[in-house]
């Protein structure tokens, strides 16, 4: 256990700029795996993950569909582990994302997928994990050991690793990601005051809704998870497209809405959704490079980047907010009740 509450989580949030720089310096590993994938010419892709890694996989789904123009599906591991499904995965790219690389169901899905013809790629923070051993190809996110239970640096490093892989498959050189280490440092420093104001504004909130569209949908899901597991908030995440179809009925002046909105088509579409929600009296906090253009009662700006890498930055102030709210509510986010680092689902 850490001494001062939140010490590990705070430290690991601060480590992210250096981790990004290290990943970019190791881009060759992504180019090597990408060359194998490109040569095999998969007909579609599948992504397997749990928890925060599942949100990173959702980000990868958008990247693959938009940048590679391949259809993508998110697997349901229980179809393999509980029901014994054995679909033909010939010429399929199966990417399994797991920070620990130790989740039994993800290991089983990867092993089974490889046996059924899939090209399997493991993306993990543990190079010698069971997952890395059963996959044909493996990538390490190089984030170092994570002491806090809530994933921060491993989540953002996974995002960047997935981007570097997919960008390399399309023949890119990672150009849009090169400035991320410096921009991450700027984001963490520049967002500090706005995050603290948000902490004071929402420390007594009973429920929150997070929303985003496009690449930022993954950020909305991850933000809700961080708030729930560190601050015990009742936080729900919705696509902006879905928010107006039913869930909006539960939004009123007592609801805090966190809108993830970075510059680009996704952020523009989210702004239109927030305009409608704003009319219901909700307290809206806009996070991202398009926050200035979003109708909101509070804003946390983030430097602008290409939209395809924006989630790597926009999650940083969301992590700071989760940390601050937990501490303000008297909770140690390094030791949330009932949580463990590795999910042992089979």
């Amino acid at each position: 256990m850490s001494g001062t509450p939140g010490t590990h989580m705070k430290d690991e949030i601060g480590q992210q700029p250096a981790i990004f720089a290290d990943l970019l310096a190791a881009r060759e590993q992504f180019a090597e795996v990408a060359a194998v994938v490109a040569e095999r010419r998969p007909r579609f892709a599948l992504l397997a993950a749990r928890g925060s890694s599942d949100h990173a996989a959702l980000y990868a789904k958008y990247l693959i569909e938009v940048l590679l123009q391949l259809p993508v599906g998110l697997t349901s591991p229980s179809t393999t582990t509980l029901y014994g499904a054995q679909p033909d995965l010939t010429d399929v790219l199966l990417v399994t994302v797991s920070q620990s690389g130790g989740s039994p169901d993800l290991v089983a899905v990867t092993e089974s997928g490889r046996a059924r013809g899939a090209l399997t790629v493991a993306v993990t923070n543990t190079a010698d994990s069971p997952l890395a051993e059963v996959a044909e190809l493996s990538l390490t996110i190089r984030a170092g050991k994570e002491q806090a239970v809530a994933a921060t640096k491993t989540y953002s490093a996974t995002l960047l690793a997935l981007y570097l892989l997919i960008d390399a498959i399309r023949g890119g050189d990672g150009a849009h990601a090169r400035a991320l280490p410096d921009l991450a440092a700027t984001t963490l420093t520049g967002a500090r005051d706005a995050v603290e104001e948000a902490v004071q504004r929402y420390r007594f909130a009973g429920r929150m809704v997070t929303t985003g569209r496009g690449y930022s949908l993954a950020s909305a899901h991850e933000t809700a998870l961080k708030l729930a597991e560190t601050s015990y908030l009742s936080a729900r995440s919705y696509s902006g497209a879905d928010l107006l179809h039913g869930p909006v009925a539960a939004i009123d002046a007592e609801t805090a809405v966190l809108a993830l909105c970075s510059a680009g088509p996704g952020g523009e579409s989210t702004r239109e959704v927030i305009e409608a929600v704003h009319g219901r009296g909700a307290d809206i906090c806009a996070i991202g490079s398009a926050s200035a253009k979003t109708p909101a009662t509070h804003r946390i700006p983030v430097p602008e980047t290409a939209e395809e890498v924006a989630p790597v930055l926009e999650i940083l102030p969301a992590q700071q907010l989760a940390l601050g709210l937990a501490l303000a509510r008297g909770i140690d986010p390094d030791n949330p009740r009932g949580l463990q680092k590795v999910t042992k689902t089979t």
Side-chain angles (χ1 to χ4, degrees):
M1 295 178 64
S2 60
T4 303
T7 296
H8 291 320
M9 187 175 179
K10 179 180 179 181
D11 288 347
E12 288 165 1
I13 289 173
Q15 292 169 21
Q16 290 171 104
I19 291 169
F20 297 166
D22 180 65
L23 262 178
L24 286 164
R27 203 183 70 82
E28 186 59 33
Q29 69 162 324
F30 300 97
E32 291 173 357
V33 171
V36 175
V37 174
E39 183 180 1
R40 297 275 281 271
R41 298 178 62 86
R43 54 194 173 95
F44 67 87
L46 288 173
L47 299 162
R50 291 287 194 195
S52 287
S53 293
D54 197 38
H55 304 153
L58 178 60
Y59 168 64
K61 183 177 188 294
Y62 276 86
L63 289 174
I64 293 171
E65 290 181 345
V66 176
L67 304 186
L68 303 183
Q69 301 287 298
L70 284 177
V72 185
L74 299 175
T75 67
S76 300
S78 60
T79 61
T80 296
T81 60
L82 297 184
Y83 297 99
Q86 299 287 320
D88 181 5
L89 297 183
T90 304
D91 297 328
V92 172
L93 171 63
L94 172 61
V95 181
T96 306
V97 187
S98 172
Q99 293 151 12
S100 70
S103 298
D105 57 346
L106 297 180
V107 172
V109 165
T110 305
E111 189 170 31
S112 176
R114 184 175 181 180
R116 288 180 276 132
L119 170 58
T120 53
V121 179
V123 179
T124 176
N125 195 39
T126 311
D128 59 352
S129 65
L131 176 62
E133 291 177 2
V134 301
E136 181 175 346
L137 302 170
S138 180
L139 292 167
T140 307
I141 66 172
R142 305 168 64 92
K145 184 174 177 58
E146 196 164 49
Q147 299 289 338
V149 174
T152 54
K153 65 178 183 177
T154 53
Y155 176 74
S156 61
T158 300
L159 295 184
L160 180 53
L162 288 166
Y163 175 76
L164 291 174
L165 171 63
I166 295 162
D167 178 63
I169 293 171
R170 70 167 169 176
D173 61 0
H176 287 318
R178 288 175 188 162
L180 288 178
D182 290 338
L183 291 176
T186 299
T187 299
L188 290 172
T189 301
R192 192 171 295 144
D193 290 344
V195 167
E196 181 54 35
E197 291 175 17
V199 168
Q200 298 308 315
R201 188 178 193 93
Y202 303 121
R203 63 183 299 180
F204 299 114
R207 64 182 186 274
M208 283 191 174
V209 168
T210 65
T211 189
R213 292 203 71 186
Y215 295 113
S216 293
L217 179 58
S219 302
H221 289 338
E222 176 64 11
T223 298
L225 176 61
K226 284 293 160 285
L227 292 170
E229 68 184 2
T230 61
S231 302
Y232 312 154
L233 271 165
S234 177
R236 295 289 303 273
S237 60
Y238 297 97
S239 162
D242 295 330
L243 185 59
L244 299 183
H245 295 280
V248 71
I251 294 178
D252 55 25
E254 301 300 316
T255 308
V257 177
L258 303 184
L260 281 299
C261 48
S262 289
E268 180 62 25
S269 180
T270 298
R271 181 183 62 79
E272 296 171 359
V273 171
I274 293 304
E275 286 176 348
V277 174
H278 186 68
R280 299 186 61 86
D283 190 306
I284 298 169
C285 176
I287 302 174
S289 57
S291 60
K293 299 179 181 179
T294 303
T297 49
H298 187 68
R299 296 177 177 85
I300 303 177
V302 173
E304 185 171 343
T305 62
E307 187 183 12
E308 63 198 46
V309 296
V312 180
L313 294 182
E314 67 192 11
I315 197 60
L316 303 182
Q319 294 171 348
Q320 291 176 309
L321 179 59
L323 169 64
L325 282 173
L327 296 176
R329 293 160 72 97
I331 301 165
D332 182 1
D334 286 341
N335 298 285
R337 62 193 181 202
L339 295 184
Q340 298 177 337
K341 285 300 289 182
V342 182
T343 301
K344 295 294 186 180
T345 308
T346 57

